[in-house]
Every structure is written in C-alpha cells, then in structure tokens.
Amino acid sequence: MSNVKSIKSQKKFSSSIINKKSIPYLLLLPAFIYYAVFWLAPVLAGMVEVFTDTNGNFTLTENFKLMFQSELFDKAVMNTALFAAVSVVLQYFIALLLAVLLSRKFRGAKLLMFIAMIPMAITPTAVAILWKTGLIKDGWLNSILMSLHLIKEPIVFLNAEGLAAVFLIILIDTWTVTPSVMIILTAGLQGIQKEFREAAYTFGANKWQIFKDITLPILKPSIVTSVILRLIAAIQVWAIAVMVLGFSKVPFLVERIAFYVDVVPGVATSEKIAFTLSFTTTIIVLLATVIYLKVANKKPSKGGNR
Amino acid sequence: MDKLNIVQKTVVSIILATMVIIVVVPILFFLTVAFSNDVEMTQFPKRIFPSFSVTVKVAPAENGEYELFYDKGDGEGYRSIITTKNATKLENHFKRQYGVNISGEKLLEDFSATRENGPMEFTYRKDLLFNFKQFFAIVNNSSKALKNSIIVALYTILISLSIGSLAGYAMARYNFKFKETINVGMLIVRMFPVVGISIPMAVLLIKFGLFDTLIGLAILYSIPNIALTAWITSSIFIGINKELEEASYIFGGNGFNTFMRITLPLAFPALAASSMYAFLAAWNDTISALILTNENQTLALVVYKAIGTTSSGIQYAAAGSVILILPALVFTFIVRKYVNQMWGGVEL
Amino acid sequence: MSYLVLKDLEKRYSKNGPLIVNKMNLSIEKGEFIVFLGPSGCGKTTTIRMISGLEEVSGGDILIEGESILNKKPRDRGVSMIFQSYAVWPHMTVFDNIAYPLKLKKVPKDEIKKRVYAAAEAADITALLDRYPAQMSGGQRQRVAVARAIVVKPKIFLMDEPLSNLDAKLRVSMRTELKNIHNKEHSTTIFVTHDQSEAMSLADRIVVMNKGVIEQIGTPMEVYHDSATKFVASFIGTPPTNFFSVKLESLGNELFAVSKGFKYKINKEIEGPLKAYLNKEVDLGIRPEFIGVSLDGKKDDSYLCDATIEFVEPQGTHSILITHIEGEEVKIMTTEYMDIRPNTRVSLYVKDGKAMFFDKETTKRIK
C-alpha cells in the first residue's frame, strides 16, 4: 500500500519538477519559432542566394564579381566609409563639447532636452524633405545666407558633386543626430558620482585634468556602446542621399541596394547584386562592430609599475 | 567647485541658444513650407512663419475684366498676374495659386467695388489645410497608405508585445542554461542591419504568399522589436518585486492568472514603451517597405516617392511629411525621459 | 597659536535662504582628533566641505596656522579628504588611485612608488595594489581612500562619515585602525559622524552640532556628564536621557521639582542656580543609569516615584527596564535587578543626585 502511495507522490513530484524547469523554455518558445522562421531562414536563404548564380548552380565568386563591377560600387564603398568615419567623429566631438557645458543644472533644461530629441525623432524620409525645402535654389537656406549677407548669389546646393555632396549629407546627418547624442552623453555625465570629481579636485586637479583623468575614462563605456549603434546606423545611410540629391549622385551601400530594388528591379542580375550587396553590408557592419570593440576596449597599459 | 563666473555663464548661454536656433529654425521653415501655397513657394526670400491670409490688389480693366496684382515680397512691389472676368478661371486661380477656397462669383462681386473706388486691396483667408488635402488628392495611394501604416503598426505592436513580453518574463524570472547565449542572441538580432534580412525576406514572403501584404511588413518589423520588447520588459519585470507574485500564489492564483492580473498591469510602463518603439519602427521605415511592397505602400514609402526629382510641388510632400512625423513627435514628448536607456547611454 | 580656527563661519545656499551653518566658532590644536557629531542636516558635512574648499563660505573666516585659506584651492590648503562613499576611482587600479595626487604634484616616478607603498602599508592594503575597486569589498575600498588621503601628508585630515557604509562589526574594527593611523601620522583630524558611540570612542573633543549651531564643545566625558544643552543630553548616550517637564516649587524650606507623577527633592548642591527658576517650568533630564530601582519601598531624599516595570530587556552586563511615568516612556539601566520580572511594582530614585535641569527657552543647562 505505502509503496504505491510513495510512487504516486514521487511521480507527482517529478512531473512538477519537469514543469517548473520547462516554463522558461516554454515562454521563449514563440520567440524561438518566430526567429527560426523569420530571421534564421531568410538570413540563410540570403546567404544561399549569394552563393548561387542565376542558373541555380553553386558559385563562390560569381555574384561578388557582379557586385564589384556594378555601377558605382567602388564609389559607394568609399563614400560609406568616409561618411561613417567622419560623421561619427564629428558628431561625438560636438556632442561631448555640448554635453560638458550642459551637465550643469539650469532652468529650461527639460525643454531643451525635448527640443534636442526632435531631429532624431523625425524619420529620415521626413528629414530629407525638410532639408530639401531648404536646399533648393530658392529654399530657405539661401534665404538665410543672403539676408545675413554671407553670400551674394544663391548657391545651387543640389548640384553638389563628389566630396562636396558627401559633406552635404554629413552635415544634414549631423544636424539630425548630434543633439540626441548630446543628451545621451549628458545623461552619462550626470550619472557619474559627483564625489569622484570632488575627490580629484581636493587633490589638486584642475577642471581639464578632472575631465581627462576622471570623467572621460568613466564615461568611456557608455560612449563606446552608443558609438556602435551610431556606426551601424551610419553604414546604412541612404534615404537622405537619394531624396535630396537623387539616385546615383552620392552612392552609398544601401543606396545602391535601393537603386537595384527601386530603379532597376526585375532583372535577374539586379536581384543578385541586391542580395550580394545586402550580404556584404551586413558583413561590413559585423566587421566594423568587432574591430571597433577591439580597438575601443584595449586597456592602456599604464600604472601598476610592479 | 562647479560655479561659473558671469563670463563663463554667458558663453554657455550663447552656445546653448545657438544650438536651439540651429535645431528649431530649419523645422520652422519646413513647417511653413508645408503650409505655403504655390505663389509663396516662388517667393524669395522665404518666410519663417506661415502666413494665414493672401492679399491681392485688384484694378479694373477694360471689357469688364479685372487685373490682379500680387506682391511677392522681393522688393519689387505688386506685379501683374492675371487679367480676366471669368468666374471659374478666378476660382481655380485662387485655389491653385493661393490655396484660398472661394467661389468665382463672390470674387467678382468683391472686385466690382473697384469700378467705383479704383484699385483696391483684398485680403482672403488661406485654407491652411490645403496642402494636406492636395497631398491626399494628388499623391498616389496616399490615403490608403495612411491606413496601411496604421494597420501595419498595430500588427507590429501585437506581435512584438505578445511574443516579446513572454520572452522578457522568462529572462527576468528564471535562471536556466543558455540564458547568457540567448541574451547575446537577442542583442545580435536587435542590432542586425535590417537590409540584411529584407531582401531574403521578400523571397520568403513570396513563398508564403505574403509578399506585398501588411502582415508581411509587420512580420519583418517585429523581428528586432520582439527582442527589444523582451529587453525592455525584462528590465521592468526584474524590478517588480517577486513577493507581489508570491502573495498571489499564496492566495490561490495560478501562474497564468498571476501574470495577467498582477505582473502585467505593473509592467505597464514597459509595455507602453515597447508599443511606442514598435509603432515607430513600423511607421517610420522606408527601405523595407520599398523592398517588400508594390501596391500596399505605407505612408513613409509614399512620401518618399512623392519627393521625385523635381522641386515643384514640394510643399505637398512637406505636408505629407508633417503627417508622417506627427506620431513620432507625440511619442517623443511623452517618453522623453526614458529615451536615453534605449541608446545604451547609461552603462549598467 | 591654534592650528585651525573657524571664525563666525556661515553658510547659506540662497541669498535669503536659511543659514545652514550659523556663526560657528571653533579652535583646534595641532594633533587633535576632533569629531563633528550631530543628526543629518545639522551642518556638519557642510562645515567640513567648507574647510576642504568644496563649498564656498557665505560669511566668516577659516584660518590654518593663522592664515586665512578662503582664497586658496583645496590642494593649497594642505587638507585631505575621505568621502562617505570613498570616491575611489573605478577605472584606476588601487596603485593609480593612491598615486594620482602625487602625479598631479609632478612627483618623480620612483618617489611616487615609495610613498604609495608606504601609504598602502599604513592602511594595510599592499596586497591589493594591482586590483580594481570593483573587485574589492567596501571595507577594502575604504582603506584605499585612507591610503590616498595619507599619501599627500596633509596638515589636516577631513573624514566625512567614512564608516557609515560599513557593517557594524567592520565599523568598530576600522574605528581603532583610523585612530591608530591618526596617531602614527601625528596628524590633525576632523571626523564627521552621526553615531554618538563612534564619536565617544574616537574623539579628543566632540563638537556637538544641531541645525547649524554648535551645542557644545568638549571631551567625551564632558559632553556626557556635563551636557551643556538639552540637545546634547538627549543625543549623547544610549539609551537616551529621560526627560520630564517639571515646575520648581518651594515646599517648606526645600526646593522640589514637581510634576503630575512625582515630587522630587532637589539636591542641596545643585540648588543654587535653580532658585532663580522658582515657580517656573523647566526640563528635568535623568540618564537611565542614574535611575535607581528599589524593591523595599525606600523613600528617602532621592526618591522619585513608584512605577510598574513593564518590559525587561536583558543585555548581559546590564538590563534595560521600561516603564511609564505620566504616560511617557522611561528607560532604566540597572546592574542590580537584572532578573526582575515584568509587572513588578518598584520604587525609583535618583542616584548620586545626577539630575540635570534645562531652561525651557534657551535649552541650556541650569548650573
């Protein structure tokens, strides 16, 4: 009798163990399935596409050749690299400067924060239109410049070519992004315990030394994290370039993808090029992230002196 | 230690004021463009604030016609625009050029006063919503696109929140093997470049027959958003004291009940934030919509196509953009305090 | 000449705002261990921050060795500070943390090494020099803060509640270590705390502060047995002093402290100054250890009243008895009747005439 009872209660016990253990996995199951079907599958399928030619046979380099030879590809890579590097450096430099100034409390700070977040909240498509209204020959940018007597004749911004065009895009992007980065850095600065700086001050550090030796190093991890996100976004720039200046004027990686999807779709090679481009862009993003993390997290080997 | 003297304070104020001006001025000009009529678009220099009315000067001419003059504000005074006595022509002119809705007969009636008094000025109220109406009238698919955007956004919220909050709860409340791996995995999915998936996704959707559908778009948008929702909700679940749930168990609640009645309501801010991000991701995206749709376009896509390569009619695209950015602005205002964490600005 | 002098020191945060520190006057000799003691908001931290140079002075002066230091930067004042949160920089190793002040002074590398090692030894953390603060416990980080403060050989050590974030046991052991270091380095120290037993253990002299004002400056014994104000009597000592509101009346030829619950005959020795308060209301304070308990109905001159013991809290070396007189809780510390049962009716009397009387308006002790 007692044997049967104890077996029964053991069973109950063990089935409740199984249940408890499996709950997290059950909860995660929908997500797993979703990602397996809608993320893993497409990513793998995409990779397969990249390595099969238009006849369905395996090829290692055929599609890459197509891509490399495609219109403006080399320019697109150069521009993307230039844009990503310059815009991130420029934006963080300015944002840090502003953040240091802003990190003191003052009236209207909250309102300022909200205003600063607006450009980033506006979708790139709308930003492009916003700036296009200004950059056309009789747009408001020329209007301002002329009324300030900075120029005599209106500048035809939209005819910009090559480097000048890239810098135009960089400026627009900076307008959009810098205020938000400034807010993030300000939050980071305020998160640093006041006493860290005060201690340095009591030991004789001046404002610059406090910034260089205490504030900046402590802020570094937050800066690194946000730079990565910015970098990833910057590598995928396209909308501003296309909408303000038009396709093929200022090629970027994703701009090329949009080109092959929007302007010349339906051609088998276009598809392959688009696939390969998106694959390449993804790899570039991954590489950039990894390299950046390695470089940024290298601990300078000073101090210790043992 | 942190005190600034007067000079330093002034410098700081100037720099901050400059920043505000640089941000706000372009936005103001842009908004004005969205409210400008055709003639104002050709004016130079540009106005920073929209005008609410249009002033024309009318002089009587021969054959019962009237000559219309308009001051472009470029210092050259009133210029002759059109001479006519045709009511329809006048009505269309006022509508197209000035965005003023008024019947041709009424205009002729008003202008008849000039026969006696000589040239006079007439001021008419501008229809501020003219450009918006035009946008929906002229731009292909625009009203449908607006509806589509809303629907896609709602689908995205539904999918992301339901799957994501379950995952977030699992991550918050349980310790299990592979937890770290899953964490990393979710991070990767969140930051994965969308273009890497969109194109293969197009093929997949075609297979499922979901290409060019709203649900197809929502599926794509949900990919990073599920992980994002999981991240946001797990943070708040961790914050919700486990004892609140345990109390429910003691009083007889089961797991599901507790989750629905106690945990979920307490997690509301996280759900609200996740909904916002999901909504905006769907609402704002252009490239994926470009790749994954043909007929069923979203508002963002429609605005993108509206820009064209010419700059005429840009005020309508501007009006469309204003509609496009409205939700984002509202949301940003509401959650302005919490946006920081999304960007990894604070190292935990 | 006094080493450190605070003259009419004042601090307010806004033009017409309240005075956080109100005309503080204090003279400290070289080598003294001074404790600023008081509840939160009393101004003790603000004062020490003004001495360090982290806060601006609103009024008055601070002099070190006769010279005003108001215009000097913290480094030039010769002070060193230990913060309540230790403020040990998380991105530097322990070695770099301690070395930083010397680096700022452009001290040559090998001398830095020597001095850092010496300071680390004094604080007993030589084994941790390579570590980062995140890898250490609170107590260890505190020692790093101490070592860092020592290494610059300051004239004056300022310590802002350095032990408050440690657990009870560690707090007590670190107490002695800090005092040790103070003695070995022959330094002058100002130590801020809200813990009165800490103050009593460490101080040469205690500065008791309340609401920006100094209530009393004295040795631990002085502030305990010779409390200058009602606040000091209530703040120092655990369990705290028992207070009663009494009226001084003359019955026959004797002066009595009269309240609803009792009539206490005032000792002839302390009678003098009290005579001026005849028929007036004053505060009577008696420390728990000076309320005696008697089971034999003793009703001599020191008799206070009868009472029923409600709770007994045995502490091993003594017991705390809790009762109520006139509805107010009264705590008694006894070593004789440690086993007494609750609900026992007893007689209470005042031991050794140790009754303290305070002026109701000025709160000063009447003596």
Side-chain angles (χ1 to χ4, degrees):
Chain A
M1 256 319 175
S2 55
N3 266 347
V4 177
K5 251 198 184 163
S6 65
I7 293 179
K8 261 199 175 160
S9 54
Q10 261 191 351
K11 252 199 159 171
K12 237 193 176 173
F13 188 51
S14 55
S15 70
S16 66
I17 286 186
I18 291 180
N19 254 336
K20 192 157 197 251
K21 252 200 184 168
S22 60
I23 288 184
Y25 297 110
L26 284 175
L27 290 174
L28 287 168
L29 197 61
F32 271 140
I33 299 179
Y34 195 91
Y35 282 122
V37 174
F38 295 118
W39 185 77
L40 202 57
V43 169
L44 292 177
M47 292 207 313
V48 167
E49 277 290 338
V50 171
F51 293 109
T52 30
D53 64 17
T54 42
N55 297 322
N57 304 321
F58 174 79
T59 163
L60 191 57
T61 55
E62 188 62 38
N63 292 320
F64 286 101
K65 279 205 208 126
L66 278 177
M67 181 183 75
F68 282 120
Q69 290 163 1
S70 66
E71 225 180 305
L72 295 173
F73 175 75
D74 42 355
K75 269 238 159 81
V77 175
M78 248 187 14
N79 286 344
T80 308
L82 184 65
F83 175 82
V86 173
S87 64
V88 169
V89 168
L90 186 66
Q91 287 154 15
Y92 273 81
F93 185 72
I94 299 180
L96 196 56
L97 208 64
L98 290 175
V100 169
L101 290 175
L102 246 202
S103 58
R104 308 159 194 290
K105 298 204 176 109
F106 60 91
R107 262 180 302 155
K110 284 221 181 102
L111 181 62
L112 199 80
M113 294 292 175
F114 173 59
I115 292 182
M117 291 203 305
I118 295 181
M120 197 74 222
I122 304 180
T123 170
T125 313
V127 171
I129 296 191
L130 190 153
W131 278 97
K132 189 146 190 188
T133 62
L135 292 171
I136 50 181
K137 183 144 176 253
D138 50 354
W140 42 262
L141 196 53
N142 277 324
S143 185
I144 298 177
L145 292 175
M146 286 187 70
S147 40
L148 289 179
H149 299 293
L150 288 172
I151 54 173
K152 294 230 182 73
E153 295 280 322
I155 304 178
V156 191
F157 292 102
L158 297 183
N159 280 345
E161 303 252 320
L163 269 186
V166 179
F167 277 118
L168 188 59
I169 307 298
I170 291 181
L171 280 180
I172 299 180
D173 190 61
T174 305
W175 177 86
T176 314
V177 168
T178 312
S180 300
V181 175
M182 181 199 76
I183 295 184
I184 294 165
L185 294 178
T186 308
L189 279 175
Q190 287 173 344
I192 300 178
Q193 269 183 325
K194 194 163 74 125
E195 292 179 344
F196 286 142
R197 290 183 289 127
E198 286 183 342
Y201 183 63
T202 59
F203 287 119
N206 60 34
K207 290 215 174 113
W208 167 244
Q209 285 166 320
I210 296 179
F211 182 73
K212 170 174 70 92
D213 298 326
I214 312 290
T215 314
L216 214 50
I218 297 183
L219 200 57
K220 196 166 115 171
S222 335
I223 297 184
V224 168
T225 325
S226 67
V227 167
I228 294 181
L229 294 172
R230 247 341 282 162
L231 207 57
I232 294 178
I235 295 178
Q236 299 176 66
V237 67
W238 76 283
I240 321 176
V242 168
M243 294 178 70
V244 173
L245 295 173
F247 274 112
S248 308
K249 282 289 206 58
V250 201
F252 290 106
L253 281 174
V254 178
E255 183 264 353
R256 292 285 87 202
I257 297 180
F259 178 76
Y260 284 106
V261 170
D262 200 18
V263 178
V264 289
V267 184
T269 44
S270 296
E271 268 184 42
K272 285 297 176 187
I273 297 178
F275 270 108
T276 319
L277 276 171
S278 88
F279 178 76
T280 313
T281 312
T282 310
I283 299 289
I284 293 182
V285 166
L286 282 165
L287 274 180
T289 313
V290 169
I291 295 179
Y292 175 74
L293 278 177
K294 273 234 145 80
V295 169
N297 282 333
K298 205 170 43 168
K299 279 216 165 27
S301 51
K302 62 173 180 210
N305 278 350
R306 297 289 229 127
Chain B
M1 179 192 128
D2 272 337
K3 290 239 169 233
L4 296 176
N5 59 37
I6 295 287
V7 173
Q8 294 170 319
K9 271 194 195 159
T10 330
V11 170
V12 171
S13 310
I14 293 180
I15 296 183
L16 290 177
T18 315
M19 188 200 84
V20 171
I21 292 178
I22 295 182
V23 169
V24 170
V25 165
I27 298 179
L28 287 177
F29 273 116
F30 160 74
L31 288 175
T32 306
V33 167
F35 290 111
S36 300
N37 55 37
D38 259 11
V39 243
E40 285 168 339
M41 285 307 294
T42 57
Q43 275 180 241
F44 192 84
K46 285 284 190 271
R47 303 177 57 107
I48 188 170
F49 289 111
S51 59
F52 294 100
S53 57
V54 177
T55 305
V56 292
K57 197 161 173 187
V58 179
E62 305 160 349
N63 298 334
E65 293 191 323
Y66 297 99
E67 197 174 356
L68 228 64
F69 296 90
Y70 185 77
D71 184 350
K72 274 199 175 177
D74 53 1
E76 302 212 12
Y78 281 99
R79 278 215 204 90
S80 177
I81 308 276
I82 173 178
T83 307
T84 179
K85 65 174 180 207
N86 184 319
T88 324
K89 209 168 170 199
L90 272 178
E91 194 173 314
N92 284 336
H93 175 81
F94 266 71
K95 192 164 183 196
R96 290 252 172 71
Q97 295 290 312
Y98 307 138
V100 174
N101 278 324
I102 195 164
S103 78
E105 285 76 27
K106 176 86 174 44
L107 287 173
L108 287 174
E109 210 185 297
D110 290 343
F111 294 169
S112 61
T114 62
R115 298 272 163 212
E116 286 179 28
N117 307 329
M120 288 170 63
E121 287 185 357
F122 293 93
T123 306
Y124 294 100
R125 279 273 298 279
K126 200 164 65 163
D127 178 7
L128 286 175
L129 296 180
F130 180 70
N131 287 346
F132 294 89
K133 296 182 197 161
Q134 278 295 88
F135 175 77
F136 284 112
I138 294 183
V139 177
N140 257 336
N141 276 333
S142 35
S143 32
K144 188 154 165 248
L146 180 58
K147 263 188 286 178
N148 287 346
S149 282
I150 298 179
I151 297 178
V152 173
L154 289 177
Y155 279 154
T156 312
I157 294 180
L158 202 62
I159 301 177
S160 307
L161 247 57
S162 54
I163 303 184
S165 57
L166 289 179
Y169 190 74
M171 301 298 286
R173 282 272 181 266
Y174 298 92
N175 274 318
F176 48 94
K177 246 190 345 174
F178 304 128
K179 188 172 176 182
E180 260 319 295
T181 331
I182 295 185
N183 244 338
V184 173
M186 293 216 282
L187 199 67
I188 295 181
V189 178
R190 244 169 66 210
M191 307 202 314
F192 200 81
V194 173
V195 281
I197 324 175
S198 312
I199 299 193
M201 179 65 102
V203 176
L204 191 75
L205 289 181
I206 293 178
K207 274 211 200 109
F208 281 153
L210 288 176
F211 185 77
D212 199 16
T213 59
L214 300 180
I215 190 77
L217 274 180
I219 291 178
L220 179 75
Y221 294 142
S222 299
I223 292 178
N225 272 300
I226 291 177
L228 183 60
T229 304
W231 184 66
I232 296 181
T233 51
S234 79
S235 310
I236 212 179
F237 282 138
I238 291 180
I240 295 179
N241 199 338
K242 208 165 177 192
E243 292 177 353
L244 292 171
E245 294 171 357
E246 290 174 348
S248 165
Y249 291 135
I250 292 189
F251 289 113
N254 60 32
F256 181 69
N257 232 310
T258 307
F259 184 74
M260 296 298 295
R261 285 184 188 220
I262 305 223
T263 321
L264 222 47
L266 284 174
F268 183 72
L271 296 176
S274 307
S275 313
M276 180 197 103
Y277 286 117
F279 183 92
L280 289 180
W283 183 268
N284 284 344
D285 165 84
T286 310
I287 181 96
S288 299
L290 183 63
I291 296 175
L292 295 181
T293 64
N294 272 329
E295 302 290 325
N296 282 320
Q297 302 183 345
T298 57
L299 187 61
L301 188 57
V302 159
V303 169
Y304 157 77
K305 285 195 180 284
I307 191 75
T309 45
T310 64
S311 44
S312 69
I314 199 175
Q315 68 264 39
Y316 306 125
S321 317
V322 170
I323 302 180
L324 191 60
I325 67 181
L326 232 39
L329 287 180
V330 169
F331 279 131
T332 309
F333 182 75
I334 296 177
V335 299
R336 57 194 188 279
K337 279 179 255 180
Y338 309 109
V339 183
N340 284 321
Q341 293 169 22
M342 244 301 285
W343 273 77
V346 180
E347 181 81 339
L348 290 173
Chain C
M1 182 204 326
S2 298
Y3 204 54
L4 169 68
V5 175
L6 305 179
K7 224 195 310 190
D8 290 337
L9 196 58
E10 281 188 345
K11 175 73 182 177
R12 45 158 58 94
Y13 280 109
S14 54
K15 259 214 186 139
N16 294 318
L19 275 173
I20 312 292
V21 176
N22 195 343
K23 279 214 165 40
M24 256 187 88
N25 281 293
L26 177 63
S27 280
I28 301 179
E29 302 302 320
K30 188 157 189 232
E32 276 199 281
F33 195 111
I34 298 284
V35 173
F36 285 1
L37 172 68
S40 345
C42 70
K44 55 193 192 299
T45 299
T46 313
T47 307
I48 199 180
R49 283 170 67 91
M50 282 194 280
I51 301 176
S52 76
L54 286 172
E55 298 273 358
E56 295 216 342
V57 168
S58 305
D61 201 356
I62 305 177
L63 305 126
I64 295 186
E65 290 188 302
E67 235 188 288
S68 170
I69 56 164
L70 288 189
N71 291 325
K72 292 197 186 168
K73 292 244 166 76
R75 192 67 202 97
D76 304 322
R77 299 184 181 200
V79 300
S80 205
M81 188 146 164
I82 300 178
F83 292 81
Q84 186 173 358
S85 68
Y86 320 137
V88 173
W89 300 301
H91 60 290
M92 298 189 198
T93 59
V94 169
F95 184 96
D96 290 331
N97 258 286
I98 306 176
Y100 187 69
L102 300 177
K103 237 181 61 173
L104 286 174
K105 289 202 88 183
K106 305 221 172 35
V107 173
K109 264 209 178 134
D110 19 301
E111 197 184 321
I112 292 187
K113 208 167 160 188
K114 252 198 296 167
R115 288 168 68 168
V116 169
Y117 269 87
E121 240 197 277
D124 196 19
I125 45 167
T126 37
L128 302 173
L129 283 170
D130 273 343
R131 303 248 196 106
Y132 283 89
Q135 306 165 298
M136 304 187 325
S137 68
Q140 290 169 323
R141 267 182 266 147
Q142 205 252 14
R143 291 166 192 270
V144 176
V146 172
R148 187 177 63 187
I150 300 177
V151 83
V152 290
K153 301 210 182 299
K155 288 187 194 154
I156 299 180
F157 277 123
L158 303 171
M159 305 188 186
D160 187 4
E161 308 215 37
L163 306 176
S164 303
N165 291 345
L166 301 173
D167 65 69
K169 217 168 160 209
L170 206 50
R171 218 183 289 166
V172 173
S173 66
M174 276 306 294
R175 239 191 243 177
T176 4
E177 290 207 37
L178 281 179
K179 193 74 192 279
N180 231 345
I181 293 177
H182 162 89
N183 291 333
K184 271 204 268 184
E185 303 279 323
H186 304 294
S187 43
T188 310
T189 305
I190 302 183
F191 184 102
V192 166
T193 182
H194 60 270
D195 182 333
Q196 52 99 36
S197 69
E198 212 165 74
M200 296 285 285
S201 329
L202 287 170
D204 291 335
R205 281 192 296 157
I206 303 180
V207 177
V208 184
M209 293 177 67
N210 185 30
K211 300 202 181 124
V213 164
I214 295 183
E215 298 266 340
Q216 182 174 4
I217 306 175
T219 64
M221 281 312 193
E222 280 167 12
V223 298
Y224 190 92
H225 290 286
D226 199 9
S227 309
T229 67
K230 184 175 176 199
F231 177 81
V232 176
S234 68
F235 198 77
I236 308 249
T238 297
T241 306
N242 300 296
F243 282 100
F244 309 96
S245 192
V246 298
K247 188 164 171 208
L248 295 182
E249 290 177 12
S250 177
L251 300 169
N253 239 343
E254 318 271 357
L255 196 54
F256 276 80
V258 178
S259 79
K260 261 191 295 166
F262 59 80
K263 256 196 300 236
Y264 170 66
K265 187 155 86 159
I266 297 177
N267 225 321
K268 280 281 182 207
E269 289 150 12
I270 59 175
E271 214 183 42
L274 288 169
K275 290 215 186 111
Y277 288 81
L278 191 55
N279 290 326
K280 295 221 186 87
E281 297 251 335
V282 295
D283 284 319
L284 163 63
I286 313 176
R287 291 194 175 277
E289 66 267 30
F290 293 127
I291 299 184
V293 172
S294 140
L295 287 171
D296 58 15
K298 178 168 153 188
K299 280 198 169 67
D300 63 8
D301 273 352
S302 61
Y303 173 73
L304 193 57
C305 65
D306 282 352
T308 313
I309 302 297
E310 293 162 40
F311 300 101
V312 178
E313 294 176 356
Q315 305 288 299
T317 51
H318 58 273
S319 288
I320 298 180
L321 312 177
I322 302 178
T323 180
H324 280 79
I325 299 180
E326 304 170 8
E328 295 293 326
E329 185 179 86
V330 170
K331 289 197 179 170
I332 304 162
M333 203 195 287
T334 178
T335 48
E336 302 152 20
Y337 292 93
M338 299 207 287
D339 289 338
I340 201 167
R341 293 266 190 91
N343 280 324
T344 314
R345 192 99 179 125
V346 300
S347 299
L348 302 176
Y349 60 93
V350 178
K351 282 188 185 171
D352 303 331
K354 292 273 191 176
M356 298 185 283
F357 290 92
F358 302 92
D359 180 313
K360 263 202 191 277
E361 280 158 24
T362 67
T363 74
K364 287 218 171 71
R365 175 123 153 273
I366 303 170
K367 52 174 179 175

